Amino acid sequence: MKDTEKIPVFLRIENGRTVCVCHAAKKKCGRPCERDTVTRDIFEGWKATMKRDKFGR
């Protein structure tokens, strides 16, 4: 089972900060962007959701 997924995106970086991130298939802006691939953890928010305290809640 895979823990991460790779997503193709377009990134616009200005002065060292990421200003815009567009999905590669759904690019709407006409600005010059760099094509890149980012990785995302599939189970990122699940640890807090599935956590139980010592009382079982």
Side-chain angles (χ1 to χ4, degrees):
M1 192 160 125
K2 295 167 65 175
D3 293 343
T4 60
E5 66 178 334
K6 294 182 179 180
I7 303 170
V9 295
F10 282 105
L11 297 173
R12 186 165 54 105
I13 301 170
E14 292 180 357
N15 298 328
R17 297 183 68 193
T18 303
V19 179
C20 179
V21 178
C22 299
H23 194 275
K26 300 175 183 175
K27 185 172 188 281
K28 301 290 184 183
C29 64
R31 298 182 177 131
C33 301
E34 299 177 21
R35 188 176 186 107
D36 197 10
T37 303
V38 296
T39 58
R40 182 179 77 98
D41 185 13
I42 296 175
F43 305 108
E44 182 178 340
W46 285 31
K47 286 186 180 179
T49 304
M50 299 299 186
K51 187 176 180 181
R52 286 188 167 188
D53 62 1
K54 65 180 181 180
F55 302 109
R57 290 185 241 152

